[in-house]
């Protein structure tokens, strides 16, 4: 078999209009899939590195102000963004507590206000975990969609091309051999190959990113729980000192 008969580009150009449309559609899916894989890989990689660095720094310094300054330098870290949100909420609560009037202080005990402050920080962290998870999962569902439907799109193009090849036999006298339909069938099979070429990296990318995102979500939930425990401990120490 001569090399020109294996020319994929020539097969695509010689295929029918429907097969060509299917191949172009799969080409668009392929470009989008690889673009998403590249973008998400960079995003998840930076999120991993900066989150690990921030968590190490947080536990070493144990100072919220220093950790907040460090978090500003780690924009790709979901854990750092969570901490910034919780820290700002905590600062706002402390500012409100300092500016509260005497009447309000008598109507509500400091312990009750502190408990409400802890719950406010907890809710803020829970919202942050949800928002950061949504940010990380963006575009990843497209990989699952591409991996699921691309083989069927390619199969549709192949079936359509084979139907046209066999349909053409009815209009050709004495051309009922396999050689008469082989070129059309081979051109149609390119659509199936294209569908698999899109689906395989899409499925691999989807499984990879979902696993990494689950690990990051676990890290965020653990940090949120630890941060709330620290705030609760500080408030308990405050109440003991107030007594």
């Amino acid at each position: 078999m001569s090399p020109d008969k294996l020319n994929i580009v020539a097969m695509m150009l010689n295929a029918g209009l429907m097969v060509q449309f299917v191949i172009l559609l799969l080409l668009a899916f392929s470009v989008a899939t690889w673009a998403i894989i590249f973008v998400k890989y960079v995003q998840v990689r930076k999120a991993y590195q900066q989150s690990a660095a921030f968590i190490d720094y947080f536990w070493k310094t144990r100072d919220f102000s220093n950790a907040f300054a460090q978090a500003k330098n780690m924009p790709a870290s979901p854990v750092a963004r969570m901490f910034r949100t919780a820290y700002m909420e905590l600062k706002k609560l402390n500012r409100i507590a300092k500016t509260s009037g005497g009447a309000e202080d008598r109507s509500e005990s400091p312990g009750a206000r502190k408990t409400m402050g802890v719950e406010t920080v907890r809710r803020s962290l829970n919202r942050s975990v949800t928002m950061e998870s949504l940010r990380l999962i963006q575009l990843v569902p497209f990989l699952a969609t591409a991996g699921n439907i691309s083989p069927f799109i390619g199969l549709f193009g192949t079936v359509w091309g084979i139907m046209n090849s066999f349909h053409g036999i009815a209009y050709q006298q004495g051309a009922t051999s396999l050689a008469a339909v082989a070129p059309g069938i081979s051109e149609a099979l390119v659509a199936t190959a294209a569908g698999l070429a899109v689906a395989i990296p899409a499925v691999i990318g989807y499984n990879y990113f979902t696993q990494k995102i689950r690990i990051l979500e676990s890290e965020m939930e653990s940090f949120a729980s630890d941060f709330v425990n620290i705030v609760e401990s500080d408030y308990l120490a405050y109440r003991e000192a107030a007594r």
Side-chain angles (χ1 to χ4, degrees), residues 13-99:
L13 294 177
N14 294 328
L17 290 178
M18 180 58 71
V19 177
Q20 289 180 346
F21 171 75
V22 167
I23 292 174
L24 288 175
L25 179 61
L26 291 172
L27 179 62
F29 269 71
S30 180
V31 171
T33 295
W34 282 107
I36 291 172
I37 288 174
F38 175 76
V39 169
K40 297 305 293 185
Y41 178 78
V42 173
Q43 180 188 9
V44 171
R45 184 169 177 268
K46 287 184 177 179
Y48 255 88
Q49 292 175 344
Q50 294 189 10
S51 293
F54 175 77
I55 291 173
D56 288 341
Y57 181 84
F58 177 81
W59 289 115
K60 286 178 182 178
T61 182
R62 289 298 189 99
D63 184 273
F64 285 2
S65 298
N66 293 338
F68 181 75
Q70 184 70 12
K72 291 181 179 180
N73 300 323
M74 297 180 173
S77 169
V79 177
R81 286 194 295 266
M82 283 174 49
F83 173 78
R84 292 205 307 266
T85 301
Y87 180 80
M88 295 302 296
E89 188 69 31
L90 197 59
K91 290 276 287 184
K92 182 173 69 175
L93 291 171
N94 290 336
R95 192 161 53 246
I96 292 174
K98 289 179 180 179
T99 57

